[in-house]
Amino acid sequence: MGEKRPFRWGMLGTGRHAQRIADGIRLTENAVLYAAASHTPGKGERFCAANGVPRCYASYEQLLRDPEVDGVFVASTNQLHCEHTKLALRCGKPVVCEKPLAINHREAEEMAAAARESGVFLMEAMWSRFFPAAVRLRELLEAGVIGRVQMVSANYGYRIPGYDLSDPTSRIFDPQRGGGSLLDVGVYPLYFASMVLDGAPTGAAGAMSPTPLGVDGHCAAVISFERGAIAAILCGIDGNTDTDACVYGSEGYIRVPRFYHPDTLEIHADGRPVETVRLPFEGAGYQFELMRAQACIEQGWTECPEMPLEESLRLISVLDELRGAWNLRYPFETQETGVSDTEGRENGGPDENCHSGA
């Protein structure tokens, strides 16, 4: 019996995050970064040369028509996730799309509908779901180690030294590219809360402080969930915070240092000594979401049980609710509905349809 052929990943976009995913693919069992595409002249070639990628394309459509590509990672900027994901799905390519899945709920619905209609795999790349420590945390909660889970707190804020909040060349400050703290890092505490709390979100309220360009520099929110559970989150792109999360139950709590990238759990169960669980890993840890996506794709699944599309849709609705209360809309969204108009606003021009016959 011959050796199993490696899973061949294609990369849409060759920016900074694409490099992180490329590093993760190197640590992913039975996987190879086989192709990459960029619309910026020279950028894709440099990325492919640096990472030993055998096939380098000048357009996404060319990559997506390559029959040797088994699945793609969408690593473009936020405002292009919907367009690029739908293009890949039309080509029949399974997709892992970088978070946030979409700018708003309408886009996410379009993406989910395209995946379901085509019967092709789609998953939002929420890497924090797949670390060994996150898996162990879910097991502990299901076993009732801290009783009934009632509350969650989680923070994630950072500041890059030397960055100017009024400089649109950085995507995180640029409203044209869906910048701001909520979509950049606020998704992490929100998705963490959803992972550990039983039930769907039922409401959200919060406050934010805008940057000179009008995106949210830092914000705080309280989200209510079914059965009375509550989450409190802080996030920011203009100052450093701790990056801890705490899960509070009726019989104790579990602290998760660096919750978005965890390797340690501190279990404070009532009446017991504090227990520390350490689950180290190699590299940054992107290999875990990639391994899970590969397994799902190879089994013919169209969604990942740990990060289903319905949950992504619910949580993007929470982000919409918060942004709506803050009157925070991006330039490509209409005032009335938040509907975006990103189609065709590709860097370097729109891709032709995958099935256009070329």
Side-chain angles (χ1 to χ4, degrees):
M1 192 170 183
E3 186 176 342
K4 183 180 178 183
R5 181 175 76 83
F7 189 96
R8 295 178 175 180
W9 284 98
M11 188 78 71
L12 302 191
T14 55
R16 187 175 301 171
H17 192 65
Q19 183 58 59
R20 299 185 187 112
I21 299 303
D23 294 339
I25 291 173
R26 275 191 282 273
L27 296 174
T28 302
E29 184 178 350
N30 202 49
V32 64
L33 181 52
Y34 181 73
S38 173
H39 291 108
T40 304
K43 188 175 181 181
E45 289 83 354
R46 290 191 296 271
F47 177 88
C48 290
N51 291 282
V53 181
R55 295 194 179 178
C56 187
Y57 292 104
S59 83
Y60 295 164
E61 182 268 348
Q62 290 175 337
L63 183 152
L64 293 170
R65 291 165 68 188
D66 185 336
E68 299 299 315
V69 172
D70 298 316
V72 298
F73 194 102
V74 172
S76 51
T77 50
N78 293 349
Q79 86 285 6
L80 297 172
H81 288 178
C82 179
E83 180 179 354
H84 294 163
T85 295
K86 290 193 297 181
L87 178 64
L89 293 169
R90 285 198 298 270
C91 294
K93 296 298 188 187
V95 177
V96 177
C97 179
E98 178 53 26
K99 61 80 190 165
L101 182 66
I103 287 290
N104 55 40
H105 189 267
R106 183 197 69 86
E107 285 191 350
E109 278 190 316
E110 288 183 5
M111 296 160 75
R116 289 163 176 166
E117 288 167 10
S118 61
V120 178
F121 179 86
L122 173 60
M123 183 186 87
E124 184 173 11
M126 186 52 60
W127 72 325
S128 54
R129 287 277 165 106
F130 301 96
F131 285 90
V135 175
R136 181 63 177 143
L137 174 62
R138 293 195 292 270
E139 292 171 348
L140 290 169
L141 297 177
E142 289 170 8
V145 169
I146 58 169
R148 181 172 59 87
V149 178
Q150 301 173 149
M151 296 187 296
V152 171
S153 66
N155 306 324
Y156 189 176
Y158 70 94
R159 181 181 68 83
I160 301 174
Y163 272 52
D164 180 356
L165 291 169
S166 62
D167 181 4
T169 61
S170 173
R171 67 158 186 88
I172 59 172
F173 307 136
D174 184 5
Q176 294 285 358
R177 288 183 281 176
S181 66
L182 191 62
L183 295 191
D184 191 55
V185 290
V187 292
Y188 287 115
L190 173 61
Y191 279 55
F192 179 86
S194 179
M195 179 182 76
V196 300
L197 294 176
D198 184 22
T202 57
M208 73 91 172
S209 177
T211 68
L213 295 176
V215 300
D216 52 309
H218 55 268
C219 61
V222 175
I223 300 98
S224 56
F225 286 76
E226 293 173 347
R227 289 177 277 282
I230 297 171
I233 68 173
L234 295 173
C235 61
I237 53 174
D238 56 1
N240 294 316
T241 70
D242 67 78
T243 54
D244 293 352
C246 281
V247 183
Y248 301 97
S250 57
E251 299 172 26
Y253 68 94
I254 299 175
R255 177 174 170 265
V256 188
R258 202 172 57 171
F259 75 92
Y260 69 99
H261 185 223
D263 62 5
T264 302
L265 305 173
E266 293 179 5
I267 305 166
H268 300 254
D270 291 353
R272 302 181 191 175
V274 176
E275 179 185 356
T276 300
V277 177
R278 301 191 190 280
L279 295 164
F281 48 84
E282 186 179 1
Y286 289 100
Q287 64 267 30
F288 300 113
E289 68 177 356
L290 295 167
M291 285 189 291
R292 186 60 178 135
Q294 280 181 205
C296 292
I297 294 166
E298 289 171 346
Q299 291 178 71
W301 298 352
T302 57
E303 296 190 33
C304 174
E306 293 85 3
M307 190 66 255
L309 291 176
E310 200 56 45
E311 185 177 5
S312 290
L313 290 169
R314 288 198 304 263
L315 297 180
I316 289 172
S317 290
V318 174
L319 302 178
D320 283 0
E321 183 176 352
L322 290 168
R323 287 202 298 122
W326 302 337
N327 198 29
L328 174 57
R329 292 179 174 85
Y330 295 109
F332 44 82
E333 294 178 306
T334 67
Q335 180 72 20
E336 292 80 13
T337 64
V339 171
S340 67
D341 185 25
T342 59
E343 291 290 342
R345 297 192 306 102
E346 183 90 42
N347 293 337
D351 269 320
E352 57 189 285
N353 188 285
C354 183
H355 303 295
S356 57

